[in-house]
Amino acid sequence: MNQQFKQLFEKLLGYWKQLEKRQRRNLILVGVFFILTVSLLSWFAFRPNYVVVFANQTPASLGELSQKLDELKIPNQVGSDSISVPEQYQHEATMKLAMEGLPQTGTLGYSVFDKTDLGMTAKEFDVRYQQAIEGNIANAIRTIKGVQDAKVSVVQAEEKLFVAQEQQNAKASVLLALAPGMQLTNEQVTGIQQLVSHSVKGLVPQNVTIVDQNGTRLVDDAGEALAANGSSSQLTKQQQIQIQVEQEATKKIRNALERIVGLNNAAVVVHADVDFNKRSWTDKKLTPPIEGATTGGVISQRESSEETQGTTGGGAAGQQQNNNNQQQLVNGGQGTQSSSKKDDTTNFEWNTYVENGATSEYRVQQYTVSVLLNKESMTPQEREDITNFVSTAIGRKNDGTANDVITVTGKSFVAPANPFETEAFYQQPWFLGAMAAALVLLGGGAYALTRRRKQTDVPVLEAPVTKEIAVAMEESESQKMKKQLEKLANQKPEEFVNLLRTWLVEE
């Protein structure tokens, strides 16, 4: 085996000595580049993949965790608020740290009573009880998504000794440290209020104050949760409807325009003038049951007539009568009187239609739309086409009856990157570097192999060429001698015969 290695080394050394300086330099560069490429790829392939085992930790807690992992000889990396270990140690680290009672995050809560002193006074007990309540509530609030830390302060209700004394209600304040970019919803704020109020005797939700790490109030003076803009949730129902209408219109217009000018190349701002006045009405119509008739259908008819006849007495001639209607006769005789009465009643039936209606809760009276396109210039026809398109996109007619205000502007601006256009793996820098290294190695290997073949093929090619030249020379001399002999035989046959005799005698 050693002899084989020795022979291989001698061959390599001989090959190295045959190379020129330029070839040696190129071979050294290829070798160095090959070693660097293999080392880099090996580091990428075999480096440990670190995963986060504990996040949202305080600096003190991170120090305890790192110290314990160092004692357990587990590699770790400490971040700003998290600690990571290699993926193969993830479950082992979590289990062993849990056995050690780590991490010790949050406050103690009711565990403050695990160690009690026999000489504890009532005042000390009250203080510890207060700390236990506050710590227990803070630990519960930390479990809410988006809350990194919480501090709770409770003012217990004071019991009055006399009836005339004013009752002091319990109060509480909560300081929240939210995750970056996180905002609590109104339901979450109300939930925190309920959690705190139900954990303290005599505490009502209206007496719970909540602020975040920026000092922003999350509840108003009446105890109602505030919206993200600092307004009460009860007062923003109409505003939320308006915002929803504007967002829907903005989304429709922007998505449609981006199909024309490209993603993130269109900015749209929509303001909606919303009417929240709700109206209701009742419409009653009467129509005849028979089509084309002008009256209703007869359902009943009644006719009645009455006639009366009688005589009346007259007064003496020349006598004044109290009854002016009484007929006066000259001779004081009697007169006749008659009367008639007729009653005709007809009942008609009509078709009755009653329609009750009401408007929707809101109605958009006017839209004001501003469109900004990422274009240096626009023709009047393009501007008009986009204006008509926006008008129809928000549900309006292009007949001139709509009073909407639509503005279209073309101006070059820097569009944000498209999150959906990701570079393919073959466009990544690491892949390009690996391909370049592979091409260099392949080229270097091909070059070295070609040079080696040339060195080994030169002797083999030279020998046949030399031999062929010698054979060709021999053939040319024999042909020349043959021609001379033929010429001698033709011109001087006697001398040719003597020459043949001399050759035969010599042999």
PDB file of all heavy atoms in Angstrom, residues 441-476:
ATOM      1  N   LEU A 441     -15.293  24.694 -11.213  1.00  0.00           N
ATOM      2  CA  LEU A 441     -14.701  23.379 -10.929  1.00  0.00           C
ATOM      3  C   LEU A 441     -14.756  22.480 -12.158  1.00  0.00           C
ATOM      4  O   LEU A 441     -13.802  21.765 -12.475  1.00  0.00           O
ATOM      5  CB  LEU A 441     -15.438  22.726  -9.760  1.00  0.00           C
ATOM      6  CG  LEU A 441     -15.279  23.409  -8.398  1.00  0.00           C
ATOM      7  CD1 LEU A 441     -16.125  22.709  -7.341  1.00  0.00           C
ATOM      8  CD2 LEU A 441     -13.810  23.412  -7.973  1.00  0.00           C
ATOM      9  N   LEU A 442     -15.903  22.505 -12.850  1.00  0.00           N
ATOM     10  CA  LEU A 442     -16.029  21.682 -14.042  1.00  0.00           C
ATOM     11  C   LEU A 442     -15.045  22.113 -15.120  1.00  0.00           C
ATOM     12  O   LEU A 442     -14.387  21.283 -15.769  1.00  0.00           O
ATOM     13  CB  LEU A 442     -17.471  21.763 -14.560  1.00  0.00           C
ATOM     14  CG  LEU A 442     -17.804  20.880 -15.780  1.00  0.00           C
ATOM     15  CD1 LEU A 442     -17.621  19.412 -15.424  1.00  0.00           C
ATOM     16  CD2 LEU A 442     -19.234  21.136 -16.243  1.00  0.00           C
ATOM     17  N   GLY A 443     -14.927  23.450 -15.300  1.00  0.00           N
ATOM     18  CA  GLY A 443     -13.971  23.936 -16.291  1.00  0.00           C
ATOM     19  C   GLY A 443     -12.536  23.602 -15.931  1.00  0.00           C
ATOM     20  O   GLY A 443     -11.740  23.207 -16.786  1.00  0.00           O
ATOM     21  N   GLY A 444     -12.208  23.755 -14.637  1.00  0.00           N
ATOM     22  CA  GLY A 444     -10.850  23.416 -14.215  1.00  0.00           C
ATOM     23  C   GLY A 444     -10.541  21.947 -14.394  1.00  0.00           C
ATOM     24  O   GLY A 444      -9.456  21.558 -14.839  1.00  0.00           O
ATOM     25  N   GLY A 445     -11.522  21.088 -14.057  1.00  0.00           N
ATOM     26  CA  GLY A 445     -11.294  19.657 -14.235  1.00  0.00           C
ATOM     27  C   GLY A 445     -11.135  19.276 -15.693  1.00  0.00           C
ATOM     28  O   GLY A 445     -10.272  18.454 -16.052  1.00  0.00           O
ATOM     29  N   ALA A 446     -11.985  19.892 -16.546  1.00  0.00           N
ATOM     30  CA  ALA A 446     -11.864  19.595 -17.985  1.00  0.00           C
ATOM     31  C   ALA A 446     -10.516  20.066 -18.541  1.00  0.00           C
ATOM     32  O   ALA A 446      -9.886  19.387 -19.354  1.00  0.00           O
ATOM     33  CB  ALA A 446     -13.029  20.260 -18.735  1.00  0.00           C
ATOM     34  N   TYR A 447     -10.078  21.240 -18.081  1.00  0.00           N
ATOM     35  CA  TYR A 447      -8.801  21.767 -18.546  1.00  0.00           C
ATOM     36  C   TYR A 447      -7.646  20.863 -18.120  1.00  0.00           C
ATOM     37  O   TYR A 447      -6.754  20.536 -18.904  1.00  0.00           O
ATOM     38  CB  TYR A 447      -8.607  23.172 -18.005  1.00  0.00           C
ATOM     39  CG  TYR A 447      -7.270  23.786 -18.323  1.00  0.00           C
ATOM     40  CD1 TYR A 447      -6.996  24.290 -19.600  1.00  0.00           C
ATOM     41  CD2 TYR A 447      -6.265  23.852 -17.356  1.00  0.00           C
ATOM     42  CE1 TYR A 447      -5.767  24.843 -19.897  1.00  0.00           C
ATOM     43  CE2 TYR A 447      -5.028  24.397 -17.649  1.00  0.00           C
ATOM     44  CZ  TYR A 447      -4.786  24.900 -18.922  1.00  0.00           C
ATOM     45  OH  TYR A 447      -3.562  25.442 -19.208  1.00  0.00           O
ATOM     46  N   ALA A 448      -7.690  20.452 -16.838  1.00  0.00           N
ATOM     47  CA  ALA A 448      -6.614  19.579 -16.346  1.00  0.00           C
ATOM     48  C   ALA A 448      -6.606  18.246 -17.081  1.00  0.00           C
ATOM     49  O   ALA A 448      -5.550  17.703 -17.420  1.00  0.00           O
ATOM     50  CB  ALA A 448      -6.783  19.368 -14.846  1.00  0.00           C
ATOM     51  N   LEU A 449      -7.804  17.681 -17.331  1.00  0.00           N
ATOM     52  CA  LEU A 449      -7.876  16.404 -18.034  1.00  0.00           C
ATOM     53  C   LEU A 449      -7.370  16.526 -19.467  1.00  0.00           C
ATOM     54  O   LEU A 449      -6.659  15.643 -19.971  1.00  0.00           O
ATOM     55  CB  LEU A 449      -9.321  15.903 -18.021  1.00  0.00           C
ATOM     56  CG  LEU A 449      -9.571  14.535 -18.654  1.00  0.00           C
ATOM     57  CD1 LEU A 449      -8.803  13.459 -17.895  1.00  0.00           C
ATOM     58  CD2 LEU A 449     -11.063  14.210 -18.648  1.00  0.00           C
ATOM     59  N   THR A 450      -7.697  17.627 -20.108  1.00  0.00           N
ATOM     60  CA  THR A 450      -7.226  17.840 -21.489  1.00  0.00           C
ATOM     61  C   THR A 450      -5.711  17.962 -21.540  1.00  0.00           C
ATOM     62  O   THR A 450      -5.056  17.367 -22.410  1.00  0.00           O
ATOM     63  CB  THR A 450      -7.885  19.102 -22.071  1.00  0.00           C
ATOM     64  OG1 THR A 450      -9.298  18.962 -21.994  1.00  0.00           O
ATOM     65  CG2 THR A 450      -7.473  19.288 -23.520  1.00  0.00           C
ATOM     66  N   ARG A 451      -5.148  18.712 -20.608  1.00  0.00           N
ATOM     67  CA  ARG A 451      -3.683  18.865 -20.585  1.00  0.00           C
ATOM     68  C   ARG A 451      -3.001  17.535 -20.321  1.00  0.00           C
ATOM     69  O   ARG A 451      -1.957  17.231 -20.895  1.00  0.00           O
ATOM     70  CB  ARG A 451      -3.298  19.876 -19.513  1.00  0.00           C
ATOM     71  CG  ARG A 451      -3.768  21.285 -19.783  1.00  0.00           C
ATOM     72  CD  ARG A 451      -3.089  21.867 -20.991  1.00  0.00           C
ATOM     73  NE  ARG A 451      -1.629  21.880 -20.838  1.00  0.00           N
ATOM     74  CZ  ARG A 451      -0.779  22.240 -21.800  1.00  0.00           C
ATOM     75  NH1 ARG A 451      -1.254  22.577 -22.997  1.00  0.00           N
ATOM     76  NH2 ARG A 451       0.515  22.237 -21.586  1.00  0.00           N
ATOM     77  N   ARG A 452      -3.610  16.729 -19.480  1.00  0.00           N
ATOM     78  CA  ARG A 452      -2.986  15.434 -19.156  1.00  0.00           C
ATOM     79  C   ARG A 452      -3.014  14.516 -20.371  1.00  0.00           C
ATOM     80  O   ARG A 452      -2.039  13.803 -20.647  1.00  0.00           O
ATOM     81  CB  ARG A 452      -3.730  14.801 -17.987  1.00  0.00           C
ATOM     82  CG  ARG A 452      -3.134  13.475 -17.545  1.00  0.00           C
ATOM     83  CD  ARG A 452      -3.867  12.935 -16.336  1.00  0.00           C
ATOM     84  NE  ARG A 452      -3.277  11.668 -15.900  1.00  0.00           N
ATOM     85  CZ  ARG A 452      -3.716  10.943 -14.870  1.00  0.00           C
ATOM     86  NH1 ARG A 452      -4.768  11.403 -14.173  1.00  0.00           N
ATOM     87  NH2 ARG A 452      -3.139   9.811 -14.554  1.00  0.00           N
ATOM     88  N   ARG A 453      -4.124  14.537 -21.103  1.00  0.00           N
ATOM     89  CA  ARG A 453      -4.184  13.711 -22.305  1.00  0.00           C
ATOM     90  C   ARG A 453      -3.173  14.148 -23.353  1.00  0.00           C
ATOM     91  O   ARG A 453      -2.556  13.318 -24.041  1.00  0.00           O
ATOM     92  CB  ARG A 453      -5.594  13.761 -22.888  1.00  0.00           C
ATOM     93  CG  ARG A 453      -6.606  12.952 -22.086  1.00  0.00           C
ATOM     94  CD  ARG A 453      -7.965  13.002 -22.742  1.00  0.00           C
ATOM     95  NE  ARG A 453      -8.920  12.195 -22.012  1.00  0.00           N
ATOM     96  CZ  ARG A 453     -10.215  12.075 -22.361  1.00  0.00           C
ATOM     97  NH1 ARG A 453     -10.657  12.739 -23.431  1.00  0.00           N
ATOM     98  NH2 ARG A 453     -11.005  11.304 -21.645  1.00  0.00           N
ATOM     99  N   LYS A 454      -2.965  15.451 -23.481  1.00  0.00           N
ATOM    100  CA  LYS A 454      -1.989  15.947 -24.444  1.00  0.00           C
ATOM    101  C   LYS A 454      -0.586  15.486 -24.098  1.00  0.00           C
ATOM    102  O   LYS A 454       0.208  15.090 -24.956  1.00  0.00           O
ATOM    103  CB  LYS A 454      -2.040  17.472 -24.500  1.00  0.00           C
ATOM    104  CG  LYS A 454      -3.280  18.000 -25.214  1.00  0.00           C
ATOM    105  CD  LYS A 454      -3.247  19.522 -25.290  1.00  0.00           C
ATOM    106  CE  LYS A 454      -4.462  20.047 -26.034  1.00  0.00           C
ATOM    107  NZ  LYS A 454      -4.456  21.534 -26.117  1.00  0.00           N
ATOM    108  N   GLN A 455      -0.270  15.534 -22.776  1.00  0.00           N
ATOM    109  CA  GLN A 455       1.068  15.129 -22.348  1.00  0.00           C
ATOM    110  C   GLN A 455       1.292  13.647 -22.614  1.00  0.00           C
ATOM    111  O   GLN A 455       2.381  13.224 -22.960  1.00  0.00           O
ATOM    112  CB  GLN A 455       1.249  15.442 -20.861  1.00  0.00           C
ATOM    113  CG  GLN A 455       1.285  16.917 -20.542  1.00  0.00           C
ATOM    114  CD  GLN A 455       2.505  17.598 -21.106  1.00  0.00           C
ATOM    115  OE1 GLN A 455       3.539  16.959 -21.323  1.00  0.00           O
ATOM    116  NE2 GLN A 455       2.394  18.903 -21.384  1.00  0.00           N
ATOM    117  N   THR A 456       0.300  12.818 -22.407  1.00  0.00           N
ATOM    118  CA  THR A 456       0.458  11.367 -22.584  1.00  0.00           C
ATOM    119  C   THR A 456       0.375  10.952 -24.050  1.00  0.00           C
ATOM    120  O   THR A 456       0.928   9.927 -24.447  1.00  0.00           O
ATOM    121  CB  THR A 456      -0.633  10.632 -21.793  1.00  0.00           C
ATOM    122  OG1 THR A 456      -1.909  11.135 -22.195  1.00  0.00           O
ATOM    123  CG2 THR A 456      -0.441  10.847 -20.311  1.00  0.00           C
ATOM    124  N   ASP A 457      -0.278  11.712 -24.891  1.00  0.00           N
ATOM    125  CA  ASP A 457      -0.462  11.333 -26.282  1.00  0.00           C
ATOM    126  C   ASP A 457       0.685  11.756 -27.183  1.00  0.00           C
ATOM    127  O   ASP A 457       0.831  11.239 -28.300  1.00  0.00           O
ATOM    128  CB  ASP A 457      -1.750  11.943 -26.842  1.00  0.00           C
ATOM    129  CG  ASP A 457      -2.964  11.308 -26.185  1.00  0.00           C
ATOM    130  OD1 ASP A 457      -2.798  10.257 -25.548  1.00  0.00           O
ATOM    131  OD2 ASP A 457      -4.077  11.899 -26.308  1.00  0.00           O
ATOM    132  N   VAL A 458       1.546  12.698 -26.752  1.00  0.00           N
ATOM    133  CA  VAL A 458       2.624  13.198 -27.620  1.00  0.00           C
ATOM    134  C   VAL A 458       3.607  12.116 -27.996  1.00  0.00           C
ATOM    135  O   VAL A 458       3.928  11.932 -29.169  1.00  0.00           O
ATOM    136  CB  VAL A 458       3.321  14.390 -26.946  1.00  0.00           C
ATOM    137  CG1 VAL A 458       4.628  14.722 -27.667  1.00  0.00           C
ATOM    138  CG2 VAL A 458       2.389  15.580 -26.946  1.00  0.00           C
ATOM    139  N   PRO A 459       4.157  11.290 -27.059  1.00  0.00           N
ATOM    140  CA  PRO A 459       5.112  10.247 -27.462  1.00  0.00           C
ATOM    141  C   PRO A 459       4.478   9.227 -28.392  1.00  0.00           C
ATOM    142  O   PRO A 459       5.103   8.732 -29.314  1.00  0.00           O
ATOM    143  CB  PRO A 459       5.538   9.617 -26.142  1.00  0.00           C
ATOM    144  CG  PRO A 459       5.249  10.689 -25.127  1.00  0.00           C
ATOM    145  CD  PRO A 459       4.044  11.378 -25.632  1.00  0.00           C
ATOM    146  N   VAL A 460       3.272   8.865 -28.155  1.00  0.00           N
ATOM    147  CA  VAL A 460       2.623   7.842 -28.970  1.00  0.00           C
ATOM    148  C   VAL A 460       2.444   8.326 -30.400  1.00  0.00           C
ATOM    149  O   VAL A 460       2.565   7.579 -31.352  1.00  0.00           O
ATOM    150  CB  VAL A 460       1.264   7.467 -28.349  1.00  0.00           C
ATOM    151  CG1 VAL A 460       0.530   6.453 -29.211  1.00  0.00           C
ATOM    152  CG2 VAL A 460       1.483   6.923 -26.957  1.00  0.00           C
ATOM    153  N   LEU A 461       2.181   9.592 -30.561  1.00  0.00           N
ATOM    154  CA  LEU A 461       1.964  10.133 -31.899  1.00  0.00           C
ATOM    155  C   LEU A 461       3.276  10.306 -32.664  1.00  0.00           C
ATOM    156  O   LEU A 461       3.309  10.184 -33.882  1.00  0.00           O
ATOM    157  CB  LEU A 461       1.241  11.472 -31.813  1.00  0.00           C
ATOM    158  CG  LEU A 461      -0.186  11.388 -31.294  1.00  0.00           C
ATOM    159  CD1 LEU A 461      -0.747  12.794 -31.121  1.00  0.00           C
ATOM    160  CD2 LEU A 461      -1.054  10.575 -32.249  1.00  0.00           C
ATOM    161  N   GLU A 462       4.405  10.574 -31.970  1.00  0.00           N
ATOM    162  CA  GLU A 462       5.665  10.857 -32.634  1.00  0.00           C
ATOM    163  C   GLU A 462       6.298   9.599 -33.220  1.00  0.00           C
ATOM    164  O   GLU A 462       6.899   9.613 -34.266  1.00  0.00           O
ATOM    165  CB  GLU A 462       6.640  11.521 -31.672  1.00  0.00           C
ATOM    166  CG  GLU A 462       6.237  12.951 -31.339  1.00  0.00           C
ATOM    167  CD  GLU A 462       7.194  13.586 -30.348  1.00  0.00           C
ATOM    168  OE1 GLU A 462       8.082  12.847 -29.866  1.00  0.00           O
ATOM    169  OE2 GLU A 462       7.052  14.782 -30.054  1.00  0.00           O
ATOM    170  N   ALA A 463       6.188   8.463 -32.531  1.00  0.00           N
ATOM    171  CA  ALA A 463       6.841   7.227 -32.981  1.00  0.00           C
ATOM    172  C   ALA A 463       6.316   6.769 -34.331  1.00  0.00           C
ATOM    173  O   ALA A 463       7.094   6.545 -35.258  1.00  0.00           O
ATOM    174  CB  ALA A 463       6.676   6.135 -31.928  1.00  0.00           C
ATOM    175  N   PRO A 464       5.008   6.633 -34.531  1.00  0.00           N
ATOM    176  CA  PRO A 464       4.527   6.197 -35.847  1.00  0.00           C
ATOM    177  C   PRO A 464       4.908   7.168 -36.956  1.00  0.00           C
ATOM    178  O   PRO A 464       5.210   6.761 -38.080  1.00  0.00           O
ATOM    179  CB  PRO A 464       3.027   6.130 -35.678  1.00  0.00           C
ATOM    180  CG  PRO A 464       2.833   5.926 -34.217  1.00  0.00           C
ATOM    181  CD  PRO A 464       3.931   6.687 -33.580  1.00  0.00           C
ATOM    182  N   VAL A 465       4.950   8.404 -36.687  1.00  0.00           N
ATOM    183  CA  VAL A 465       5.303   9.388 -37.720  1.00  0.00           C
ATOM    184  C   VAL A 465       6.736   9.202 -38.161  1.00  0.00           C
ATOM    185  O   VAL A 465       7.057   9.226 -39.358  1.00  0.00           O
ATOM    186  CB  VAL A 465       5.059  10.802 -37.188  1.00  0.00           C
ATOM    187  CG1 VAL A 465       5.599  11.838 -38.151  1.00  0.00           C
ATOM    188  CG2 VAL A 465       3.575  10.987 -36.950  1.00  0.00           C
ATOM    189  N   THR A 466       7.691   8.983 -37.239  1.00  0.00           N
ATOM    190  CA  THR A 466       9.108   8.798 -37.560  1.00  0.00           C
ATOM    191  C   THR A 466       9.316   7.545 -38.390  1.00  0.00           C
ATOM    192  O   THR A 466      10.079   7.516 -39.361  1.00  0.00           O
ATOM    193  CB  THR A 466       9.932   8.731 -36.276  1.00  0.00           C
ATOM    194  OG1 THR A 466       9.667   9.892 -35.495  1.00  0.00           O
ATOM    195  CG2 THR A 466      11.406   8.638 -36.575  1.00  0.00           C
ATOM    196  N   LYS A 467       8.602   6.497 -38.004  1.00  0.00           N
ATOM    197  CA  LYS A 467       8.744   5.225 -38.709  1.00  0.00           C
ATOM    198  C   LYS A 467       8.251   5.333 -40.140  1.00  0.00           C
ATOM    199  O   LYS A 467       8.863   4.828 -41.084  1.00  0.00           O
ATOM    200  CB  LYS A 467       7.992   4.147 -37.952  1.00  0.00           C
ATOM    201  CG  LYS A 467       8.185   2.771 -38.542  1.00  0.00           C
ATOM    202  CD  LYS A 467       7.497   1.728 -37.680  1.00  0.00           C
ATOM    203  CE  LYS A 467       7.720   0.328 -38.269  1.00  0.00           C
ATOM    204  NZ  LYS A 467       7.035  -0.705 -37.453  1.00  0.00           N
ATOM    205  N   GLU A 468       7.120   5.998 -40.283  1.00  0.00           N
ATOM    206  CA  GLU A 468       6.565   6.162 -41.617  1.00  0.00           C
ATOM    207  C   GLU A 468       7.511   6.960 -42.516  1.00  0.00           C
ATOM    208  O   GLU A 468       7.676   6.680 -43.693  1.00  0.00           O
ATOM    209  CB  GLU A 468       5.205   6.852 -41.532  1.00  0.00           C
ATOM    210  CG  GLU A 468       4.146   5.960 -40.924  1.00  0.00           C
ATOM    211  CD  GLU A 468       2.832   6.679 -40.783  1.00  0.00           C
ATOM    212  OE1 GLU A 468       2.786   7.883 -41.147  1.00  0.00           O
ATOM    213  OE2 GLU A 468       1.860   6.071 -40.316  1.00  0.00           O
ATOM    214  N   ILE A 469       8.139   7.997 -41.924  1.00  0.00           N
ATOM    215  CA  ILE A 469       9.092   8.793 -42.709  1.00  0.00           C
ATOM    216  C   ILE A 469      10.272   7.948 -43.164  1.00  0.00           C
ATOM    217  O   ILE A 469      10.735   8.024 -44.313  1.00  0.00           O
ATOM    218  CB  ILE A 469       9.556  10.003 -41.897  1.00  0.00           C
ATOM    219  CG1 ILE A 469       8.379  10.938 -41.668  1.00  0.00           C
ATOM    220  CG2 ILE A 469      10.693  10.736 -42.626  1.00  0.00           C
ATOM    221  CD1 ILE A 469       8.689  12.088 -40.745  1.00  0.00           C
ATOM    222  N   ALA A 470      10.789   7.084 -42.260  1.00  0.00           N
ATOM    223  CA  ALA A 470      11.933   6.217 -42.617  1.00  0.00           C
ATOM    224  C   ALA A 470      11.557   5.240 -43.716  1.00  0.00           C
ATOM    225  O   ALA A 470      12.318   4.999 -44.664  1.00  0.00           O
ATOM    226  CB  ALA A 470      12.411   5.469 -41.380  1.00  0.00           C
ATOM    227  N   VAL A 471      10.360   4.641 -43.587  1.00  0.00           N
ATOM    228  CA  VAL A 471       9.908   3.690 -44.614  1.00  0.00           C
ATOM    229  C   VAL A 471       9.774   4.396 -45.950  1.00  0.00           C
ATOM    230  O   VAL A 471      10.147   3.875 -47.014  1.00  0.00           O
ATOM    231  CB  VAL A 471       8.581   3.041 -44.175  1.00  0.00           C
ATOM    232  CG1 VAL A 471       7.987   2.206 -45.315  1.00  0.00           C
ATOM    233  CG2 VAL A 471       8.808   2.169 -42.964  1.00  0.00           C
ATOM    234  N   ALA A 472       9.232   5.618 -45.894  1.00  0.00           N
ATOM    235  CA  ALA A 472       9.062   6.364 -47.146  1.00  0.00           C
ATOM    236  C   ALA A 472      10.425   6.668 -47.796  1.00  0.00           C
ATOM    237  O   ALA A 472      10.570   6.595 -49.023  1.00  0.00           O
ATOM    238  CB  ALA A 472       8.310   7.667 -46.865  1.00  0.00           C
ATOM    239  N   MET A 473      11.410   6.967 -46.934  1.00  0.00           N
ATOM    240  CA  MET A 473      12.745   7.251 -47.474  1.00  0.00           C
ATOM    241  C   MET A 473      13.342   5.999 -48.103  1.00  0.00           C
ATOM    242  O   MET A 473      13.980   6.052 -49.170  1.00  0.00           O
ATOM    243  CB  MET A 473      13.651   7.783 -46.368  1.00  0.00           C
ATOM    244  CG  MET A 473      13.241   9.173 -45.884  1.00  0.00           C
ATOM    245  SD  MET A 473      14.272   9.756 -44.527  1.00  0.00           S
ATOM    246  CE  MET A 473      15.847   9.849 -45.348  1.00  0.00           C
ATOM    247  N   GLU A 474      13.181   4.847 -47.425  1.00  0.00           N
ATOM    248  CA  GLU A 474      13.715   3.605 -47.974  1.00  0.00           C
ATOM    249  C   GLU A 474      13.063   3.285 -49.300  1.00  0.00           C
ATOM    250  O   GLU A 474      13.710   2.845 -50.253  1.00  0.00           O
ATOM    251  CB  GLU A 474      13.519   2.460 -46.987  1.00  0.00           C
ATOM    252  CG  GLU A 474      14.383   2.607 -45.736  1.00  0.00           C
ATOM    253  CD  GLU A 474      14.129   1.469 -44.758  1.00  0.00           C
ATOM    254  OE1 GLU A 474      13.268   0.613 -45.086  1.00  0.00           O
ATOM    255  OE2 GLU A 474      14.780   1.435 -43.694  1.00  0.00           O
ATOM    256  N   GLU A 475      11.739   3.464 -49.369  1.00  0.00           N
ATOM    257  CA  GLU A 475      11.048   3.163 -50.613  1.00  0.00           C
ATOM    258  C   GLU A 475      11.539   4.068 -51.748  1.00  0.00           C
ATOM    259  O   GLU A 475      11.708   3.633 -52.876  1.00  0.00           O
ATOM    260  CB  GLU A 475       9.540   3.305 -50.407  1.00  0.00           C
ATOM    261  CG  GLU A 475       8.977   2.210 -49.521  1.00  0.00           C
ATOM    262  CD  GLU A 475       7.484   2.380 -49.319  1.00  0.00           C
ATOM    263  OE1 GLU A 475       6.948   3.396 -49.794  1.00  0.00           O
ATOM    264  OE2 GLU A 475       6.860   1.501 -48.680  1.00  0.00           O
ATOM    265  N   SER A 476      11.798   5.304 -51.487  1.00  0.00           N
ATOM    266  CA  SER A 476      12.261   6.223 -52.540  1.00  0.00           C
ATOM    267  C   SER A 476      13.668   5.845 -53.040  1.00  0.00           C
ATOM    268  O   SER A 476      13.960   5.914 -54.241  1.00  0.00           O
ATOM    269  CB  SER A 476      12.244   7.659 -52.019  1.00  0.00           C
ATOM    270  OG  SER A 476      13.105   7.773 -50.897  1.00  0.00           O
TER     271      SER A 476
END
